[in-house]
Amino acid sequence: MPDYRWGIFLAPPEHDRKIPFGDSFGEQAWQEVPGEFRNALRRIIVTQGDTEPASVEQQRLLCDSAPSMYDCRNLFQVNVEEGRHLWAMVYLLHAHFGRDGREEAEELLERRSGDFDKPRILTTFNEPIDDWLSFFMFTMFTDRDGKYQLLALAESGFDPLARTTRFMLTEEAHHMFVGETGVQRVVKRACELMKQDPNEDARAQGGIDLPTVQRYVNFWYSSSLDLFGGEISSNAADYFAAGLKGRAKEARFDDHVALSGHYNIELMDDGSLSSRQVPMRNAMNEILRDAYVDDNQRGVDRWNKTIREAGVDFEIKLPHRRFNRKMGVHSGQFFDPAGNPISEAEFEAKRAEWLPTADDKAYVKHLMKPVLEPGKMANWIAAPARGINGQPIDFEYIRRV
Ligand code: BYC
């Protein structure tokens, strides 16, 4: 991408910006790190920074199996932007945290996605992405977690973090577009292939069948829900109190101090589901997760519209937020995709119906053959509705040198 501009990009400064939430609500935003919050702030920046190279490591071999030049071009754009986001976080560490910031930045380079000894910090960023269906799921669901985490950091009282994350958000939108439309094209093609097959079997025609798409949704969505942290979190309460990490679009809330009021969280208590009242500040992760769930549903509705328009009787459903969780109050417990509590044995008996199996992964992987001629698409994916930057779909989006 010879035209790509590297650099530290910040949203324009807001004149006389005030801290928009927490104990210091209404005070002047900080241009330098406040000493008492130094460790917490560094930790937030390191966690955010760690995800950026992780995603590039996860996706680094995908160009070898790109289903079209168009898709390969999108992959490269996603990867260079994530690389630049790492740079943006490392800049904050170097510019504002002195020696320990530089050491943290070095450690960011030492960790590797999926590495046994030095893995990336957050779970989803150690999952392999070695097929394009996983890539589209990741950019749909995991990049959308990125959107909500960045929206929360864009409210930060530490102004350099707020300005850099606001700029990053402008790029995140394209990544989610790649994910949402990528899955939509897989689904569209599955429906076309079903119509061509005497048994309505998309796999028999070399496509990715809708139940397999559903199992990938179940996996990547539940894994991405884990990235919001625990439902009841003293870390989240501390970050909010300190004015470091707010809620998405903080201005839309009436009470920016959140010291009064409770939030109801439904969890398993003594073998049955019951509701627990949690002080508002301790529920900040869950409040962010609520907005994320709604946002995903809008994308899934568009996939289902594509399926309905093709005249196929199938509906893709987001599993319940309790399903298959590894972090938070629902981890170590078992729920069906509708969120009903079940036994471990019942879960295991249904695992192959609900989550991608080794056979699914092998099948999807065997379809991954590069198609790198202008305008051509792999058989398992429909063409996009339009090309990139007003160029036609058969434009030569990448060139081998
Ligand atoms: N995996 O109080 P808790 C993106 C740890 S994606 C592993 O429940 P907290 C992108 C947690 O660290 C957005 N560990 O949670 C997308 C804590 O550890 P300690 C990335 C996890 O701290 C695509 C313990 O469990 N941005 O940008 O309130 C491509 C208990 O924690 C996980 C950020 O993450 C997990 N899933 O919230 C490229 C923003 N979840 O203290 C990029 C910065 C929790 O016991 N990070 N833990 O050692 C944060 O705001 C928070 O650290 C978290 C966790 C939301 C991640």
Side-chain angles (χ1 to χ4, degrees):
M1 300 184 63
D3 298 335
Y4 188 72
R5 285 190 313 138
W6 283 92
I8 307 298
F9 301 134
L10 302 170
E14 209 177 283
H15 176 66
D16 201 27
R17 180 167 178 258
K18 301 286 193 288
I19 298 168
F21 62 89
D23 292 343
S24 308
F25 173 64
E27 293 174 19
Q28 203 69 32
W30 308 295
Q31 297 305 323
E32 290 302 332
V33 178
E36 65 271 40
F37 304 139
R38 188 183 168 86
N39 286 349
L41 192 54
R42 192 183 58 215
R43 193 178 156 188
I44 291 175
I45 295 170
V46 166
T47 311
Q48 176 66 46
D50 191 73
T51 63
E52 314 290 357
S55 67
V56 182
E57 288 156 13
Q58 287 170 293
Q59 297 162 15
R60 74 191 187 286
L61 298 178
L62 286 177
C63 68
D64 287 345
S65 61
S68 71
M69 280 191 162
Y70 164 91
D71 289 292
C72 201
R73 159 72 175 71
N74 278 337
L75 170 73
F76 288 156
Q77 182 168 342
V78 168
N79 286 173
V80 290
E81 286 172 355
E82 300 297 9
R84 200 200 61 75
H85 292 178
L86 167 67
W87 190 1
M89 291 298 115
V90 166
Y91 174 77
L92 291 178
L93 290 172
H94 274 234
H96 297 278
F97 291 88
R99 182 172 166 185
D100 43 333
R102 289 194 294 278
E103 284 169 6
E104 289 281 10
E106 282 304 312
E107 285 173 31
L108 278 170
L109 292 176
E110 282 167 20
R111 288 190 287 273
R112 282 282 177 282
S113 175
D115 190 277
F116 188 77
D117 295 317
K118 290 190 173 171
R120 289 295 171 189
I121 297 170
L122 298 175
T123 42
T124 316
F125 295 89
N126 290 301
E127 298 291 349
I129 303 183
D130 43 19
D131 64 71
W132 279 75
L133 185 58
S134 297
F135 170 67
F136 292 140
M137 294 291 169
F138 181 95
T139 39
M140 168 77 181
F141 294 120
T142 311
D143 276 280
R144 197 176 308 274
D145 161 57
K147 167 182 166 184
Y148 281 89
Q149 298 296 337
L150 292 175
L151 279 169
L153 297 178
E155 301 291 340
S156 183
F158 180 50
D159 205 43
L161 178 62
R163 287 179 60 201
T164 201
T165 47
R166 261 182 241 157
F167 186 87
M168 286 158 75
L169 275 163
T170 61
E171 297 179 329
E172 216 59 61
H174 171 254
H175 304 182
M176 287 177 290
F177 164 85
V178 168
E180 186 188 318
T181 56
V183 176
Q184 187 170 32
R185 289 160 56 214
V186 173
V187 160
K188 183 171 183 222
R189 186 64 182 147
C191 294
E192 286 167 7
L193 293 169
M194 282 170 77
K195 298 276 161 189
Q196 289 170 23
D197 189 78
N199 302 314
E200 296 209 330
D201 181 353
R203 275 202 193 192
Q205 299 297 321
I208 302 176
D209 53 301
L210 297 176
T212 300
V213 173
Q214 177 70 64
R215 285 192 285 278
Y216 274 65
V217 167
N218 292 351
F219 172 75
W220 285 102
Y221 176 64
S222 57
S223 180
S224 302
L225 284 170
D226 276 339
L227 295 172
F228 288 79
E231 285 71 7
I232 307 167
S233 168
S234 55
N235 283 341
D238 291 346
Y239 295 159
F240 189 86
L244 302 179
K245 184 179 173 195
R247 290 168 289 194
K249 310 208 167 99
E250 184 61 44
R252 288 201 307 206
F253 292 84
D254 293 329
D255 169 14
H256 301 298
V257 181
L259 269 177
S260 57
H262 288 83
Y263 190 89
N264 281 338
I265 289 178
E266 215 183 2
L267 44 75
M268 289 295 277
D269 204 4
D270 245 354
S272 62
L273 280 172
S274 64
S275 187
R276 186 186 300 173
Q277 282 204 334
V278 176
M280 198 60 90
R281 284 186 174 184
N282 291 70
M284 288 301 166
N285 287 343
E286 191 64 358
I287 292 170
L288 203 56
R289 193 164 13 232
D290 284 343
Y292 169 79
V293 168
D294 292 348
D295 198 8
N296 278 309
Q297 187 58 51
R298 288 190 281 276
V300 173
D301 290 345
R302 285 189 281 271
W303 298 342
N304 284 326
K305 183 163 176 273
T306 300
I307 299 174
R308 270 198 314 279
E309 282 170 1
V312 169
D313 183 19
F314 191 94
E315 189 187 344
I316 296 180
K317 292 195 177 105
L318 286 177
H320 195 278
R321 67 176 79 190
R322 288 193 283 271
F323 174 76
N324 196 39
R325 294 287 302 283
K326 305 286 184 276
M327 304 297 306
V329 294
H330 310 302
S331 65
Q333 299 168 349
F334 298 91
F335 300 93
D336 68 14
N340 303 306
I342 54 173
S343 69
E344 181 174 3
E346 284 171 299
F347 186 90
E348 289 306 329
K350 292 276 195 173
R351 176 184 283 278
E353 204 179 297
W354 292 338
L355 291 166
T357 62
D359 277 355
D360 289 334
K361 289 180 198 169
Y363 175 73
V364 172
K365 187 90 194 283
H366 112 279
L367 295 177
M368 300 295 125
K369 306 265 161 44
V371 177
L372 291 175
E373 284 169 61
K376 291 253 165 65
M377 298 286 141
N379 179 49
W380 54 267
I381 190 164
R386 60 191 69 83
I388 301 165
N389 294 338
Q391 285 147 337
I393 291 167
D394 61 3
F395 182 76
E396 191 180 10
Y397 284 109
I398 58 165
R399 233 171 259 143
R400 282 163 192 272
V401 286

